[in-house]
Amino acid sequence: IAANVDGAVFIVWHGAPAGAEPGEINRRIYVMRSADNGKTFARPQIVNADDPGVCACCSLKAFVTPSGELFTLYRAARDKNQRDAVLMTSRDGGATFQHRDVGRWTINACPMSSFAAASGGKTTRGAWEAEGKIFTALLDTASEALVISEEKARHPSLAINAQGETLIAWSIGTGWQKGGQLGWCLLDAAGNKTGPQGTRPG
């Protein structure tokens, strides 16, 4: 669920249409939108019909900016060996959608990954994982992704303060019934790392 102060509310999920053949290639991204703080919603719409396939066990992240732009990060599954990170964007309140790959990943498995997004001022930043690394980039520009960590990193989280500085945190070495470490680093308002990244066990 993503919402802003102007009453725009979006519910975003992935699933297979009724009657679809089994397989991740048949999964789609669905969006329901409201313009009245969630009192009423339009009917669900499929927004990636031209680019089907969604990784079944990976979560997605939807984020609506103060100006009403909707950003959705998810993991594609166009075939069994492909798990690219995709950015779905709507700049007209959910009427139309565009998508582009932001991170390639060739793996014949579901990585059970997650995404993060946060807004600071006029920019929106996203973060995702691939091949044990954490990547981040501005979602509202075509900026190149920055590699943050290469230590079996997973599940990024973002926070941006009033000065435009960004805290990125993630887990290291975690898995099913397995704990690990916490990792983090800071970016300045220009998106550059400020000092070394930190880690903490437990």
Side-chain angles (χ1 to χ4, degrees):
I1 298 177
N4 70 2
V5 297
D6 294 325
V9 182
F10 298 90
I11 302 176
V12 187
W13 71 95
H14 60 79
E21 293 292 326
E24 292 177 309
I25 185 62
N26 294 310
R27 299 184 72 84
R28 304 290 192 270
I29 302 294
Y30 291 82
V31 176
M32 287 178 65
R33 56 189 173 116
S34 170
D36 55 10
N37 283 308
K39 294 178 183 178
T40 61
F41 281 90
R43 292 180 60 84
Q45 62 181 124
I46 294 174
V47 297
N48 68 327
D50 60 336
D51 187 29
V54 183
C55 194
C57 296
C58 290
S59 70
L60 56 73
K61 177 65 177 180
F63 187 88
V64 60
T65 69
S67 62
E69 295 176 312
L70 174 65
F71 296 104
T72 303
L73 286 162
Y74 70 94
R75 192 163 302 286
R78 300 182 182 104
D79 62 56
K80 64 180 182 179
N81 296 312
Q82 182 276 323
R83 293 292 187 270
D84 295 346
V86 179
L87 171 65
M88 183 81 69
T89 304
S90 177
R91 301 184 185 276
D92 52 13
T96 62
F97 289 82
Q98 301 78 43
H99 54 80
R100 62 182 173 91
D101 287 3
V102 294
R104 298 284 187 178
W105 194 359
T106 301
I107 179 175
N108 186 11
C110 175
M112 299 186 70
S113 63
S114 58
F115 298 85
S119 185
K122 296 182 179 180
T123 62
T124 301
R125 180 171 291 280
W128 60 92
E129 64 182 82
E131 300 178 335
K133 306 173 185 178
I134 297 297
F135 296 83
T136 184
L138 295 177
L139 303 183
D140 37 18
T141 68
S143 64
E144 185 175 349
L146 175 68
V147 179
I148 297 298
S149 174
E150 302 184 19
E151 306 174 31
K152 298 181 180 179
R154 309 202 65 199
H155 304 305
S157 183
L158 291 171
I160 303 176
N161 66 13
Q163 289 72 46
E165 299 168 317
T166 301
L167 169 67
I168 305 180
W170 59 90
S171 66
I172 302 171
T174 56
W176 177 252
Q177 296 185 338
K178 177 187 175 184
Q181 299 185 69
L182 173 69
W184 69 88
C185 77
L186 289 171
L187 306 180
D188 62 22
N192 302 309
K193 289 184 180 180
T194 60
Q197 66 187 44
T199 57
R200 183 69 60 85

